[in-house]
Every structure is written in structure tokens, then in C-alpha cells.
Amino acid sequence: MSDQFFHDIKATLAGIEADGLMKRERLMTSPQAAEVVVGSREVINLCANNYLGLADHPDLVRAARDAMDDHGFGMASVRFICGTQDLHRQLEKKLAGFLNKDDSILFAACFDANGGLFEPLLGPEDAIISDSLNHASIIDGIRLCKARRYRYANNDMADLEANLKAARNDGARHVMIATDGVFSMDGYLADLPAITRLARAYDALVMVDDCHATGFMGPRGTGTPEHFGVDVDILTGTLGKALGGAMGGYIAGPQPVIDLLRQRARPYLFSNALPPPIVAAGLEAIRLVEQTPDLRKRLFDNARYWRAGLEKLGFDLLDGEHPIIPVMLGEAPLAQQMAAGLFEEGVYVSGFFFPVVPHGQARIRTQMNAALTTEQLDRALAAFGKVGRDLGVIA
């Protein structure tokens, strides 16, 4: 390989470092939990997607261990060859019933689910209208599809309608609106009532990626459609956040859609089936969501308590009702300094900056979970106050 190639790669890395955009990983030596051990320090964890605190729940650990005894460690194959077990279909049926859909199909991750969704369903005579802040996996999935592409400004319903009109005027056969249920950098919810009204008016399908909502949004925890009291055509989601925090994604929807995806979704056809321990733990996670509504109550109680505490300290927050509560700082170096200072005070958070968020909108994205205690939140608030004052973020 040429020396010039490595020179160019090193120059790119040096530029990332110089701009204050280098992302660094800390090594965790404990299970994911409300407090974790990073290096030799125990710190309060405010940056995981572990919304219900299930990542180290003993019932999930037990279910995974039992599944290894009964069903083995891995599948060593794709589903249609010899990689489907009874557990896979049990979880797919359980997810479908939980989400009030005909059926569901499992993937290694929701990135794969979104990557495999659009191409089998839509062709060059069709159109996809995508929210401008959709997750990278939706963007990549749409790129793999030959359908015509339209984009509307984030949660801007007038712009969405203009794009629906344009797609229909351009003669699109089928039109699909694609949106995140929760825009994870901001904690904002998609305006699903307005989106579904426009979809009915223009005979369009609605696809929602509900990764940051499944398990805790809505009266039963089934996600943003239930939260708003609306129905959507296709849901994608993950087992890797509220539902145990491991791996695994899914698509849930009408039976013909799921049947066609089993035949033609490339990430499904060419990737190993999910390991039995993850599938069994996913089943247990849904059981816990259905039978322990107090987890959802604690999550949102914590979110309200945390938001109120940060506001009292004087931090600049984005409005919202979601357990994602971003603390806005502006520039990437400041976000990095704030995260480093908080770690020294026993609080584990990450700075978010370009290209994850736009230039000038760097932040600390804090995330609540049901396992956090009020005592832990008070310690974290004290740390935020100290570091924020030291850095001149708050008075």
C-alpha cells in the first residue's frame, strides 16, 4: 500500500484532533448500570441508552444464560439456511403483538433493519420523503433504494406537505414518509399526528424508527405512535436500548411487507441470525415492560427531577418531554472540557459535536434511566454545578 495513502489518513486524523473533534473511548470494566466502573473509578452514568435500567437486570441475565444451556451460543448461519430457532419466531411474534402489527422480522441491529427496509419495497417509480434530521441508518437505507428522494426540514409540516405535493405531481406510484420517532440528538418527538394526517390526505405510507421510544413511551411503553394515539404503517426499532441494551433490530408491519423482506432484505439474507441469548433476553425484556409499569414511571420522574435541577443551576437546555436532556454548550472544545471535568467529579457523560450535531451546537447529551436514584442525581447535579461554574458556562 502506498506511503501517500497513509500520509493522507494521518493528515485527516491530525485535522480532526486540531479541530477538537477527536472522539475517544473510555474502557468500562463493569456491567452497564446507573453507576459503572471506568478504569479504576466508579462514576454515575448519564450517557447510556439504558432507559429502563435493564442492561444488567438479573432476569435478563438469567434468561440469556438459560438460553445458552438450551439453545447454544450462536447460530453460525443466516436465517433461511439453518439459522432460525423457535426462539427467533417467538420474539418476532411477541414484538408484533406488543407493537400491534401483523408480524416482525429480526436483524442484527436497527442500522441493518433500516438499511434493508427501503430497497425491497420501493423502486424508481416510487418516492421517499425523509426528515432532514433522520438517523444515519435511514439515510443510508434510502441511498440503497432506487426510489426518488425528497427531504423536508425537521418536523416542518408545511415543508412535508410541499414535498408530498411534489412527489404526487412528479407521478410517484407509492410514497413513503420516513421519520425518526425521537430525534435523538435533541430529544424532540416527531409530529406524528400531523404526519399521519398528511399521509392520509396524500395516500402515503408512514415509516417510523422508534429506537429511542420503544419500551417506555406511551401508556404501555410501545413507542411514539401509542404516545400520540396514532397508527403508522411500518415500525423499526432495537433491542439495544430500553429493551436490554444488547444487540438486535427489527421491522414490524403488515404481513405482506414482512414476507417480502424475508425474501429480499439483504442484511437479513446475508447476516447471521441473532444469538439465542440475545433473543431470549429480548423476550424477557418485553415481559418486564408489560408487567412493571413502575419502571416507566421512575424513568419520567427522574427526567423531570433532572431537568428541573439543571434549569435551576442555569444551564441552557433544549425543551422536551423525553428522557434525553441535552445541555447546550456551543463549541466542541468546551463540550470536551465539560465532559472531562465531570468525569473527574464522578459523572460519566460524553460531548457531542460535529459531525454528530451541526457546527456551533455542541452539547452534553444527558440521558435518564429508571435505575438512577435521587441521591445519584443530586451528586450529579452538584458536579454539573461545580464544573459549569469552573468553565464559565453558568454563573
Side-chain angles (χ1 to χ4, degrees):
M1 198 172 288
S2 73
D3 290 341
Q4 185 61 44
F5 175 79
F6 289 113
H7 174 79
D8 292 345
I9 295 295
K10 290 177 181 177
T12 299
L13 289 168
I16 293 171
E17 179 74 58
D19 291 339
L21 302 178
M22 184 67 74
K23 291 175 280 295
R24 292 181 170 83
E25 299 176 6
R26 294 189 175 106
L27 291 181
M28 188 186 302
T29 57
S30 68
Q32 182 66 271
E35 293 200 32
V36 295
V37 178
V38 180
S40 59
R41 304 193 58 181
E42 189 167 10
V43 290
I44 300 169
N45 189 356
L46 299 184
C47 57
N49 299 314
N50 187 24
Y51 293 109
L52 297 176
L54 298 183
D56 64 338
H57 195 286
D59 290 355
L60 270 67
V61 174
R62 188 180 308 110
R65 186 182 297 116
D66 291 346
M68 281 195 286
D69 291 338
D70 295 337
H71 289 74
F73 174 67
M75 297 309 304
S77 188
V78 299
R79 288 280 294 269
F80 78 96
I81 297 177
C82 59
T84 297
Q85 290 181 332
D86 54 344
L87 283 176
H88 294 98
R89 282 304 290 149
Q90 288 172 25
L91 179 55
E92 287 171 338
K93 291 176 182 177
K94 185 69 174 177
L95 278 165
F98 180 61
L99 299 170
N100 196 30
K101 297 299 178 191
D102 292 345
D103 201 356
S104 73
I105 177 173
L106 292 170
F107 292 81
C110 192
F111 206 109
D112 289 327
N114 288 336
L117 173 66
F118 302 99
E119 183 190 18
L121 302 180
L122 301 168
E125 62 272 44
D126 303 316
I128 303 172
I129 307 175
S130 178
D131 190 287
S132 62
L133 290 189
N134 276 342
H135 190 267
S137 58
I138 297 177
I139 295 169
D140 286 358
I142 291 172
R143 285 173 177 162
L144 294 171
C145 178
K146 292 182 173 62
R148 283 169 278 179
R149 305 168 196 169
Y150 301 78
R151 190 173 78 154
Y152 64 98
N154 178 235
N155 250 349
D156 186 329
M157 296 299 102
D159 197 20
L160 172 57
E161 183 167 22
N163 278 277
L164 284 163
K165 289 178 179 177
R168 286 305 181 196
N169 289 338
D170 291 343
R173 180 186 61 170
H174 303 308
V175 177
M176 180 181 291
I177 303 167
T179 183
D180 282 346
V182 179
F183 299 99
S184 61
M185 291 301 105
D186 301 321
Y188 294 154
L189 308 184
D191 188 354
L192 292 186
I195 290 170
T196 52
R197 283 196 300 271
L198 286 170
R200 287 193 299 271
Y202 290 89
D203 191 25
L205 299 160
V206 178
M207 167 268 174
V208 174
D209 175 335
D210 230 16
C211 281
H212 286 273
T214 307
F216 59 93
M217 295 295 294
R220 296 188 304 115
T222 65
T224 53
E226 184 193 35
H227 173 78
F228 286 114
V230 301
D231 188 32
V232 301
D233 300 286
I234 297 170
L235 280 168
T236 67
T238 184
L239 307 177
K241 293 181 172 56
L243 298 180
M247 289 291 292
Y250 61 83
I251 301 170
Q255 194 66 58
V257 168
I258 303 303
D259 290 346
L260 182 58
L261 291 172
R262 288 195 197 282
Q263 301 303 311
R264 293 188 175 174
R266 291 165 71 86
Y268 179 83
L269 294 173
F270 298 104
S271 295
N272 270 18
L274 279 177
I278 290 176
V279 179
L283 282 162
E284 183 64 18
I286 296 173
R287 184 192 71 79
L288 286 171
V289 169
E290 291 178 324
Q291 296 185 7
T292 53
D294 59 300
L295 288 175
R296 298 194 295 280
K297 181 179 184 303
R298 288 210 304 272
L299 169 63
F300 285 98
D301 286 347
N302 282 348
R304 284 187 290 270
Y305 187 89
W306 178 249
R307 178 178 286 276
L310 290 175
E311 288 175 342
K312 185 176 180 180
L313 286 169
F315 284 101
D316 179 17
L317 309 180
L318 295 181
D319 293 335
E321 56 186 306
H322 193 271
I324 291 173
I325 303 170
V327 179
M328 304 303 292
L329 298 169
E331 299 306 322
L334 180 58
Q336 299 260 47
Q337 292 166 16
M338 183 94 182
L342 285 165
F343 186 76
E344 292 304 312
E345 295 297 321
V347 177
Y348 187 19
V349 294
S350 293
F352 284 69
F353 40 83
F354 184 83
V356 179
V357 297
H359 282 296
Q361 295 185 31
R363 66 198 66 183
I364 299 290
R365 186 183 73 172
T366 65
Q367 293 174 261
M368 290 295 98
N369 82 62
L372 287 162
T373 65
T374 302
E375 186 272 335
Q376 288 168 330
L377 293 177
D378 285 340
R379 279 195 282 136
L381 286 169
F384 263 80
K386 179 181 184 303
V387 177
R389 286 187 288 271
D390 289 346
L391 293 175
V393 176
I394 57 174

